[in-house]
Structure formats: structure tokens, C-alpha cells
Amino acid sequence: MRHSPASRTPPGARHQSAKLRVGFVLMHNFTLTAFSSFVDVLRLAADEGDRSRPIGCSWQVMSPGRRPARSSCGIDIQPTADLGDPGAFDYIVVVGGLLHGMPPLPSAVAAWLQRAATAKVPLVGVCTGSFVLCRLGLMAQRKCCVSWYHYRDFLEEFPTLVPVADQLFVVDGDRITCSGGAGVADLAAQLVTQHLGSAVAQKALNILLIDRPRTADSAQPAPRLGGGPGDGGRGDGGIDDARVSRALLLMEQNLAEPLPIAALAHALALSPRQLERLFAERLGESPQESYLALRLRHARWMLANTPFSAARIAADLGFADGSHFGRAFKARFGETPAAFRRAAARPARRSAPAEETRVFE
């Protein structure tokens, strides 16, 4: 049987000669889509067609003792290597998954990631892998990209850090964080572009039936907001304009100090008049009305789930004073903050509104 020259090259030598070398560390209950999307872009970029030889790119999945890692869907992945020299990689990717109920990070993995950071190896957190990097103190003074779904979880656990929930991924020096999902393929394509060229990255995406890569600052697809009482008449069940979705995400990230509508419009490369028109067309209300609705829905959540006084909540959400907050709350929900809190404290009510744990649920 004849072998190509590449197949006669020892695996270790192929890894060292590759232009892009990536190591993966999979958390327990990691998200399979995030991992597989990243690997498949590397695989397709590494060779001609889809022959999958690790020539231009190489990758290793690592764990202490090569112990299998279980994904959130129950499929186990067998690592290809133990934890070795982190300097052998151009990037080390931490793939997270289910946020709650996750066992403590093994001390060997924690120490190895710290070692990688000391060696200045760029660390990448995808999905909730960003939480892992933050828990290790490796994101201090860095911007951190998180999914809109975990935005409030992040704020509650890391109040001193800066989360970004309206972009697909964020590059901040030698730390890269990605919200997860399909955006992981876009991140992988950007790394391939940097190391092997845009044509190679586009070829990989084309085989995956992805038309073109999205940039880091592309908006995360926002959840649809269901219509209901007090929700601005959004009876169509959702938003089909990415600019409106992104504006809402920016609003949620700036509840305490509401941004001027002109600043929101500028961030979206729109004029205030264009933004007003989009909100009227898509939501049937003005940006100011939507902004107030988000702040009041968050206030309602805080009344039901925190011990903070109404005055403290009013201050935290940018209301002029408690009276202003109380009037706005009653106009929106038909009862005062105090009456709502009393009702929410009853056992039957306390367990009911699970959908209110986040603004976008």
C-alpha cells in the first residue's frame, strides 16, 4: 500500500509544522455544537477538499489522563492527548456548556490553564468556557463575550467584569471569548483567515454550507419577544430585524444608566429618526417605550427575587426617585411595587414566573 508523503510524517511533526495549532479542553457537559463547529472549520481548512489530513491546521483534545469528556447531550469524546506543553499551541480553547450543576474544575486543568496564560498562549472561551476563564481570574480588565441567555448569570457571578452580549465574539489581546452556537464557526474562520488566508477559511465555510463568515462585531441573533399584556402590542410573537434586536440587547446591558436614543442609534450606524421608524414598524412603540419596558420588567424580577428596597431598585435602574419608579411601575403592571412584592412572596406565586428570570425569556 502506497502512502502520501504527508501520511508518512509522524503526527507530532505534522502538529509542529502546521500553521495553526489548536488545543481543546472540554468541560463536563460541554456543548457539542460549539466543539464540533470549531473542529470542522479547522479540519476542512487543513487539507484539500474534505480529506481531513491535519496539514495546514492541527488540533488536539486534552484531559488529565485522557479521561473522556461527556457533552451535554450525553455523547462522550475521547481525548487524543494528556495535558502537555501549552506552548505547543497557537490557541487553547476551553469549551463550556451547561452552566449550572457543573462539577468543580479539576485542579490539574486549572493549573494547566494558568500555566498557559503565564506562557502568553492565547486562551479562547467558547459558550460558557468564558465563565471558566473568569473563575480562574484570567479575564481581569478584559471584555468578555457571553450569550444573551447568560448575560444576567454573568453579572451576578462577576459584577466587576464587563460582559458583551450583543456580539458573536470578542478579541481582547490574548483572550478571545465567543457566545457559542453557530458563532463558533465564524470565530474559527477568523483564526483560519489570520493564519492561512481568507480563501482557505471561505473554502471551509462553503463546504459547511455557510455563505460567508460574520465578523466579531456582528450581532448575536436575539430571542423573540412574545406579545402580551404590557408588552407594547407585540402580538406577532417576535422581531425580524437584527438592528432592533441588537438595540434591545444594548438597552438591557445599560439598564442602570440608560443610554440616550441618539447614542443607541449611533452604535447601530443609524440616525435617531431611522431607529424610531424601525421600532415603530417592528414593535409598534418608540425606543424610549421599549427601554422603559425593559427596565420595569427587570425591576419586577428584582422585586420578586432580591431583598433590595424599592428605592434601591429605582436607583439601580436609573429612575429619578422612588416616586417616579412607583408611578411607572403601576402604569405598566397595574399595581404598586409594594403590592407586587407582597404577592410575589406567597409560595404559589414565588415558584410560578420562571419565565421572568431573564428579560429575554
Side-chain angles (χ1 to χ4, degrees):
M1 179 177 178
R2 299 183 63 183
H3 298 274
S4 68
S7 66
R8 292 198 300 267
T9 306
R14 289 203 301 269
H15 174 70
Q16 292 302 324
S17 65
K19 294 181 180 179
L20 176 56
R21 303 165 299 166
V22 180
F24 290 92
V25 179
L26 309 179
M27 298 297 100
H28 181 67
N29 281 333
F30 71 94
T31 304
L32 190 59
T33 299
F35 169 61
S36 61
S37 296
F38 207 126
V39 170
D40 259 354
V41 172
L42 297 178
R43 176 183 69 85
L44 294 167
D47 197 3
E48 298 175 357
D50 61 350
R51 299 176 67 185
S52 302
R53 295 173 299 174
I55 300 173
C57 306
S58 64
W59 52 94
Q60 296 279 2
V61 180
M62 299 166 291
S63 75
R66 299 194 183 189
R67 291 192 293 271
R70 171 149 294 191
S71 67
S72 57
C73 66
I75 294 176
D76 289 347
I77 296 294
Q78 179 62 51
T80 58
D82 205 330
L83 298 175
D85 176 14
F89 299 98
D90 298 303
Y91 302 91
I92 292 169
V93 181
V94 179
V95 185
L98 296 184
L99 186 59
H100 303 291
M102 183 186 301
L105 185 68
S107 58
V109 175
W112 191 80
L113 290 174
Q114 294 280 6
R115 179 182 164 197
T118 301
K120 305 297 183 184
V121 179
L123 299 178
V124 183
V126 300
C127 196
T128 59
S130 57
F131 282 71
V132 175
L133 298 181
C134 291
R135 289 167 184 165
L136 293 174
L138 299 176
M139 293 298 295
Q141 307 302 316
R142 311 283 188 127
K143 291 183 179 179
C144 186
C145 184
V146 297
S147 165
W148 62 264
Y149 186 79
H150 290 302
Y151 174 73
R152 189 170 294 152
D153 294 311
F154 188 94
L155 286 180
E156 291 173 356
E157 186 169 351
F158 310 110
T160 64
L161 298 182
V162 180
V164 177
D166 66 322
Q167 295 183 202
L168 292 181
F169 56 94
V170 170
V171 180
D172 193 343
D174 56 1
R175 298 289 185 274
I176 303 172
T177 46
C178 178
S179 55
V184 176
D186 297 291
L187 169 58
Q190 176 162 306
L191 299 183
V192 169
T193 296
Q194 292 173 358
H195 291 262
L196 285 85
S198 59
V200 176
Q202 188 62 58
K203 183 265 287 188
L205 293 178
N206 286 345
I207 296 175
L208 291 172
L209 303 183
I210 298 175
D211 184 30
R212 61 179 61 88
R214 293 172 292 178
T215 59
D217 59 358
S218 297
Q220 293 182 26
R224 294 183 176 273
L225 300 182
D231 281 333
R234 293 189 283 271
D236 61 353
I239 304 167
D240 58 1
D241 192 295
R243 294 165 295 181
V244 175
S245 297
R246 189 165 188 177
L248 290 168
L249 288 167
L250 286 170
M251 289 175 182
E252 195 195 7
Q253 291 179 77
N254 293 276
L255 293 175
E257 297 181 6
L259 296 173
I261 299 306
L264 280 171
H266 179 74
L268 299 168
L270 298 170
S271 70
R273 183 180 294 273
Q274 287 174 314
L275 188 63
E276 295 271 358
R277 185 168 60 250
L278 282 172
F279 268 72
E281 292 173 353
R282 306 300 184 186
L283 300 181
E285 62 187 15
S286 69
Q288 294 90 337
E289 290 170 329
S290 289
Y291 214 156
L292 178 60
L294 289 175
R295 292 161 65 204
L296 288 171
R297 290 182 65 184
H298 189 63
R300 185 170 60 174
W301 181 89
M302 293 180 73
L303 286 166
N305 295 279
T306 75
F308 299 151
S309 67
R312 162 74 183 275
I313 293 171
D316 284 352
L317 294 178
F319 289 93
D321 51 42
S323 297
H324 177 212
F325 168 57
R327 290 193 301 271
F329 191 93
K330 186 173 183 179
R332 189 78 182 182
F333 301 117
E335 59 185 338
T336 66
F340 173 80
R341 171 164 272 173
R342 285 193 297 271
R346 299 177 192 138
R349 181 73 176 272
R350 186 187 303 123
S351 59
E355 71 278 3
E356 294 182 7
T357 57
R358 293 181 177 84
V359 171
F360 287 118
E361 276 193 351

